[in-house]
């Protein structure tokens, strides 16, 4: 995202007032003109030919331009950079937290200091891993060394401040997956799914994911008719920020503004998400607190994978030279959350809990929201099978869950445990009847990645225009079925065929702005970045972006299988002979007495969420859910005072800055 807004356009987005600079950037270089006498008379045939190549601009260029954000948002985004990280580390001493005083009250004696915490997404680790030709696990250790190790940021600066805790966002992603599946189940069973959003907290079907801020920005400003369909659930970044601010401020007895949270994400649009007023403490702090206190962000700053390398370079740190070993961190103040956020703290007792794994390849590179919803529905559907149908391109996929009609009256609770141990098989590209058995479709979902596909999606969700002619029909008649003789034999095929353009048949749709998913975020390290082949030491700088993205995806999925013993050196922690069992060997052990779906211990995560609400005294709705609103342009509604208002607006929304 480029900051191209001028001082004359402070209140606009997607408007003619913002000049698009993309064609200017792609124009060919002009040859310097030869000096000539301005008073010289020449003929027309001697004038230089103005034969420039036509400027080209794609939809991706348009939506990636800062003309799609307001000036206040542009100001807030510009404040979030690696320079902002170093400025805060140099301006405030880090509050010392040792294992023996982690539960002590810090109180007013540390007014000048701050607790620096960070959260890192698995997509960033995958980008770093592909860049340096290492595993995703070691890439995470290098990031930890930079942010919190003695050879990292703490080795310089005015106070030698570093980050006390570095959290893997996979932890709160599991909470998001479970709450998202609950939201879908509620929307299916709730009779008020078609009610206005003001009267119900349940989104309308189909529910659209809301974890992608680029997609949310696009929807709020251009397609407000899709807002009732958006999931009310916070993203893993926002949920992690809320957890860290609420728990640490309570356990350490410090103000929320004394906790500085850095998020390392794959996308520039995550900066816009952190700038939302909904993600500040005014939405969750107790009513007894001072109302005049300025709002404090849940996430104070967001940087990307490329900015992470710039952070190291600015500090004079050679990132590839950082040790590829884990760092030692003090335990989290809350023991239950310490086990949940940092499973490696229990590695001495149980090596199986050393690290939380990423999603498997079937879940995709964007967190696995749709995959978990499908697995949850499969576990609730005895006899169900998953069918996959590719759409117009690889970024559009339709999923259906079908089952024989014989299972129609079978209660899902009877064989739920059986389905956990023996999940239904996934059948690629197969729908309809099997072995002559009639089937019914019990669940439909889809995946839409990339703005080109999103445009088709929102067009289908747009409500039809009301007919103005009196007495006109308000419903669309179905085409008659001429094959009445074989009606019973074609029941399954009729159920399984998605009507063209009828998007309402879906219960859930995973929407991401970037083609290919979050591993292809705008802030990720690209194939044409300077020195890419040298960093890898393989001379692969000539590969194209598609091949590079496949390499990043491979690194992302590297932790979805076994936790490779070669990547984890635990000889110093105790017995180095640790045999990691695969998922099939440990499935019965994991499922015994527990509810496990998609490799996630549902009961454990729910207990953590319940403990979070009970320890803070804040209800779940304020901690885990949010709202969305239509954003209207102020273009043409009076420009007086807009230049001064942007500073006030940025300060008001800015939260902890």
């Amino acid at each position: 995202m480029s900051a191209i807004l001028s001082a004359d356009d402070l209140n606009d987005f997607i408007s003619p007032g913002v000049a698009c600079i993309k064609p200017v950037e792609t124009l060919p270089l002009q040859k310097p003109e030869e000096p000539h006498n301005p008073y010289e008379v020449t003929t027309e045939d001697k004038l230089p030919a103005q034969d420039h190549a036509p400027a080209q601009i794609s939809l991706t260029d348009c939506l990636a331009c800062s003309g799609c954000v307001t000036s206040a948002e542009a100001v807030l985004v510009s404040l979030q950079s690696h320079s902002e990280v170093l400025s805060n580390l140099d301006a405030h001493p880090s509050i010392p937290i040792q294992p023996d005083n982690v539960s002590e009250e810090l109180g007013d004696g540390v007014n000048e200091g701050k607790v620096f915490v960070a959260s890192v997404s698995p997509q960033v680790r995958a980008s770093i891993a592909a860049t340096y030709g290492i595993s995703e696990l070691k890439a995470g250790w290098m990031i930890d060394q930079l942010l919190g190790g003695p050879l990292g940021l703490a080795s310089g600066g005015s106070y030698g401040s570093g980050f006390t805790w570095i959290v893997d966002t996979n932890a709160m992603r599991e909470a998001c997956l479970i709450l998202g599946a609950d939201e879908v189940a509620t929307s299916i069973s709730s009779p008020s799914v078609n009610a206005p959003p003001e009267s119900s907290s349940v989104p309308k079907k189909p529910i659209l994911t809301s974890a992608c801020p680029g997609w949310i920005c696009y929807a709020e400003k251009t397609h407000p008719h899709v807002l009732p369909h958006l999931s009310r659930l916070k993203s893993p970044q926002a949920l992690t920020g809320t957890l860290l601010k609420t728990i640490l401020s309570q356990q350490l007895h410090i103000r929320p503004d004394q906790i500085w949270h850095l998020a390392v994400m794959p996308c520039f649009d995550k900066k816009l998400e952190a700038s939302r007023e909904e993600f500040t403490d005014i939405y969750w702090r107790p009513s007894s607190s001072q109302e005049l206190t300025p709002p404090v962000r849940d996430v104070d700053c967001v940087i990307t994978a490329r900015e992470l390398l710039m952070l190291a370079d600015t500090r004079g740190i050679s990132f590839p030279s950082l040790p590829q070993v884990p760092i030692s961190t003090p335990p989290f103040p809350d023991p239950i959350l310490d086990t949940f956020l940092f499973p490696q703290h229990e590695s001495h007792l149980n090596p199986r809990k050393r690290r939380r794994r990423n999603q498997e390849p079937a879940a995709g590179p964007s967190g696995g929201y749709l995959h978990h919803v499908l697995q949850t529905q499969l576990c609730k559907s005895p006899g169900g099978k998953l069918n996959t149908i590719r759409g117009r391109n690889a970024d559009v996929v339709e999923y259906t869950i079908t089952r024989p009609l014989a299972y129609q009256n079978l209660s899902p609770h009877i064989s739920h445990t059986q389905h956990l141990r023996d999940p239904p098989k996934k059948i690629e590209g197969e729908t309809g009847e099997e072995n002559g058995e009639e089937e019914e479709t019990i669940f439909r979902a889809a995946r839409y990645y990339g703005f080109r596909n999103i445009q088709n999606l929102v067009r289908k969700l747009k409500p039809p225009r009301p007919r103005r002619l009196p007495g006109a029909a308000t419903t669309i008649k179905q085409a008659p079925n001429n094959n009445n003789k074989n009606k019973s034999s074609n029941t399954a095929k009729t159920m399984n065929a998605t009507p063209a353009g009828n998007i309402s048949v879906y219960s859930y749709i995973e929407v991401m702005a970037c083609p290919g998913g979050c591993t292809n975020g705008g802030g990720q390290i690209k194939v044409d970045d300077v020195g890419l082949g040298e960093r890898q030491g393989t001379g692969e700088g000539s590969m194209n972006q598609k091949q590079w993205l496949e390499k990043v995806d491979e690194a992302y999925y590297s932790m979805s299988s076994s936790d490779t013993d070669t990547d984890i050196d635990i000889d110093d922690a105790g017995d180095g002979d640790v045999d990691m069992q695969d998922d099939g060997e440990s499935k019965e052990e994991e499922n015994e007495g527990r509810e496990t779906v998609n490799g996630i211990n549902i009961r454990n995560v729910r207990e953590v969420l319940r403990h979070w609400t009970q320890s803070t005294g804040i209800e779940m709705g304020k901690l885990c859910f949010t709202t969305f609103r239509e954003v209207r342009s102020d273009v043409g509604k009076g420009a007086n005072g807009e230049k001064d208002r942007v500073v006030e607006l940025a300060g008001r929304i800015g939260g902890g800055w």
Side-chain angles (χ1 to χ4, degrees), residues 49-296:
Q50 301 293 329
D51 189 15
H52 299 314
Q56 297 180 354
I57 182 170
S58 65
L59 178 65
T60 303
D61 296 327
C62 178
L63 294 174
C65 173
S66 60
C68 296
V69 300
T70 63
S71 296
E73 290 172 333
V75 171
L76 296 175
V77 168
S78 65
L79 290 176
Q80 303 186 55
S81 64
H82 67 285
S83 300
E84 182 70 12
V85 178
L86 296 178
S87 298
N88 278 271
L89 290 174
D90 293 341
H92 305 281
S94 180
I95 298 177
I97 297 178
Q98 302 297 333
D100 54 349
N101 70 344
V102 68
S103 61
E104 296 180 1
E105 298 184 10
L106 299 179
D108 299 331
V110 290
N111 288 334
E112 299 299 327
K114 288 191 176 185
V115 176
F116 294 96
V117 292
S119 57
V120 182
S121 73
Q123 291 85 1
V124 170
R125 295 194 298 268
S127 183
I128 297 293
T131 301
Y132 294 102
I134 58 177
S135 67
E136 187 253 7
L137 178 61
K138 290 185 177 180
W141 288 342
M142 293 175 66
I143 296 174
D144 293 349
Q145 290 284 352
L146 174 66
L147 298 178
L151 301 178
L153 299 177
S155 61
S158 303
Y159 297 99
S161 299
F163 289 83
T164 305
W165 290 288
I166 298 97
V167 180
D168 183 359
T169 57
N170 272 335
M172 297 311 294
R173 177 186 58 83
E174 292 184 356
C176 291
L177 296 182
I178 294 174
L179 295 176
D182 293 344
E183 194 176 44
V184 173
T186 303
S187 69
I188 294 176
S189 60
S190 175
S192 60
V193 292
N194 294 322
E198 293 80 6
S199 60
S200 175
S201 60
V202 181
K204 293 173 58 177
K205 291 176 57 181
I207 295 180
L208 310 177
T209 53
S210 59
C212 175
W215 148 242
I216 295 301
C217 178
Y218 177 66
E220 288 184 326
K221 296 177 180 178
T222 61
H223 298 286
H225 64 274
V226 306
L227 298 184
H229 296 274
L230 293 178
S231 170
R232 308 295 193 266
L233 186 63
K234 290 183 179 180
S235 69
Q237 170 186 296
L239 203 60
T240 302
T242 305
L243 176 71
L244 294 175
K245 290 293 180 84
T246 54
I247 294 297
L248 290 178
S249 61
Q250 180 191 64
Q251 295 291 332
L252 301 180
H253 297 271
I254 57 178
R255 302 185 310 272
D257 62 346
Q258 291 182 273
I259 304 166
W260 203 82
H261 176 206
L262 169 70
V264 188
M265 294 290 147
C267 181
F268 285 108
D269 290 331
K270 283 294 183 180
K271 300 172 185 282
L272 294 179
E273 176 183 307
S275 303
R276 294 179 67 93
E277 187 178 8
E278 291 85 355
F279 297 147
T280 59
D281 67 335
I282 61 175
Y283 283 83
W284 52 259
R285 63 186 178 189
S287 57
S288 59
S289 61
Q290 298 180 1
E291 297 295 336
L292 298 179
T293 304
V296 178

Side-chain angles (χ1 to χ4, degrees), residues 569-601:
D569 185 8
I570 60 172
D571 291 341
D572 296 337
D575 184 9
D577 186 13
V578 178
D579 183 16
M580 295 295 295
Q581 299 179 4
D582 59 20
D583 294 339
E585 295 175 355
S586 60
K587 188 175 294 293
E588 293 186 2
E589 177 183 340
E590 290 181 355
N591 293 331
E592 185 176 356
R594 300 186 298 179
E595 182 182 359
T596 304
V597 177
N598 189 26
I600 301 175
N601 189 338

Side-chain angles (χ1 to χ4, degrees), residues 527-528 532 536 539-545 547-549 551:
V527 65
D528 55 352
L532 181 59
Q536 287 184 294
E540 296 180 351
S542 61
M543 69 171 64
N544 57 41
Q545 182 60 29
Q547 294 172 329
W548 172 249
L549 183 58
K551 191 176 184 65

Side-chain angles (χ1 to χ4, degrees), residues 339-354:
T339 304
F340 179 68
L341 296 176
F342 305 97
Q344 65 269 23
H345 286 174
E346 288 192 347
S347 61
H348 296 277
L349 302 177
N350 188 354
R352 194 182 302 278
K353 294 184 178 181
R354 286 176 303 192

Side-chain angles (χ1 to χ4, degrees), residues 398 444 460 478 494-503 505-506:
E398 177 187 351
R444 293 184 187 272
K460 295 176 182 179
Q478 298 286 342
T494 303
M495 290 181 177
N496 293 337
T498 303
N502 187 9
I503 209 73
V505 299
Y506 297 118

Side-chain angles (χ1 to χ4, degrees), residues 3-47:
I4 63 167
L5 287 173
S6 64
D8 296 328
D9 298 311
L10 290 175
N11 62 340
D12 48 79
F13 56 87
I14 314 180
S15 68
V18 178
C20 180
I21 67 166
K22 189 63 182 179
V24 179
E25 294 177 336
T26 57
L27 285 177
L29 296 177
Q30 303 294 325
K31 295 182 179 180
E33 297 182 359
E34 297 180 359
H36 64 280
N37 187 353
Y39 299 102
E40 180 183 359
V41 179
T42 183
T43 58
E44 185 175 345
D45 58 339
K46 293 183 179 181
L47 291 175

Side-chain angles (χ1 to χ4, degrees), residues 276-541:
R276 294 179 67 93
E277 187 178 8
E278 291 85 355
F279 297 147
T280 59
D281 67 335
I282 61 175
Y283 283 83
W284 52 259
R285 63 186 178 189
S287 57
S288 59
S289 61
Q290 298 180 1
E291 297 295 336
L292 298 179
T293 304
V296 178
R297 294 182 181 280
D298 293 339
V299 181
D300 295 281
C301 184
V302 177
I303 62 174
T304 62
R306 280 186 284 178
E307 291 175 308
L308 186 73
L309 300 183
M310 296 171 63
L311 180 66
D313 293 339
T314 305
R315 201 62 133 185
I317 300 172
S318 175
F319 189 87
S321 300
L322 291 172
Q324 298 178 10
V325 294
I327 63 174
S328 177
T329 59
F332 204 68
D334 190 297
I336 295 179
L337 292 176
D338 179 65
T339 304
F340 179 68
L341 296 176
F342 305 97
Q344 65 269 23
H345 286 174
E346 288 192 347
S347 61
H348 296 277
L349 302 177
N350 188 354
R352 194 182 302 278
K353 294 184 178 181
R354 286 176 303 192
R355 193 167 180 269
R356 185 170 279 100
R357 300 180 179 183
N358 292 341
Q359 289 286 295
E360 59 185 23
S366 302
Y369 292 88
L370 175 59
H371 180 72
H372 185 79
V373 169
L374 292 172
Q375 294 301 316
T376 302
Q377 293 297 322
L378 282 172
C379 290
K380 295 179 180 180
S381 306
K385 64 179 181 183
L386 180 62
N387 310 286
T388 303
I389 304 176
R390 175 172 169 171
R392 56 184 298 176
N393 52 60
D395 285 331
V396 178
V397 184
E398 177 187 351
Y399 301 88
T400 60
I401 296 179
T402 60
R403 66 179 178 183
L405 294 178
Y407 286 81
Q408 191 172 14
N409 298 324
L410 183 61
S411 173
H413 301 287
I414 296 178
S415 58
H416 179 66
T417 304
Q418 178 182 355
H419 272 264
L420 288 176
R421 297 183 178 180
D422 187 18
K425 296 181 179 179
K426 177 181 177 181
I427 302 179
E428 298 286 348
E430 183 176 336
T431 57
E433 302 171 346
E434 182 179 0
N435 299 327
E437 206 172 25
E438 294 184 358
E439 295 181 341
E440 63 171 344
T441 299
I442 57 178
F443 189 81
R444 293 184 187 272
R447 183 183 74 186
Y448 280 76
Y449 286 179
F451 272 115
R452 292 187 181 274
N453 298 320
I454 290 176
Q455 277 196 326
N456 295 327
L457 172 64
V458 297
R459 189 181 299 114
K460 295 176 182 179
L461 285 172
K462 192 172 184 179
R465 294 181 179 180
R467 298 179 180 271
R468 297 183 179 180
L469 296 177
T474 57
T475 58
I476 301 176
K477 295 183 179 180
Q478 298 286 342
N481 185 5
N482 297 327
N483 191 12
N484 294 327
K485 296 181 180 180
N486 298 328
K487 181 177 180 181
S488 59
S489 62
N490 293 331
T491 302
K493 293 183 179 180
T494 303
M495 290 181 177
N496 293 337
T498 303
N502 187 9
I503 209 73
S504 61
V505 299
Y506 297 118
S507 297
Y508 189 79
I509 302 178
E510 184 177 279
V511 184
M512 298 292 166
C514 294
C518 293
T519 52
N520 192 29
Q524 296 282 77
I525 302 172
K526 304 300 181 182
V527 65
D528 55 352
D529 285 342
V530 178
L532 181 59
E534 296 179 358
R535 288 193 187 121
Q536 287 184 294
T538 58
E540 296 180 351

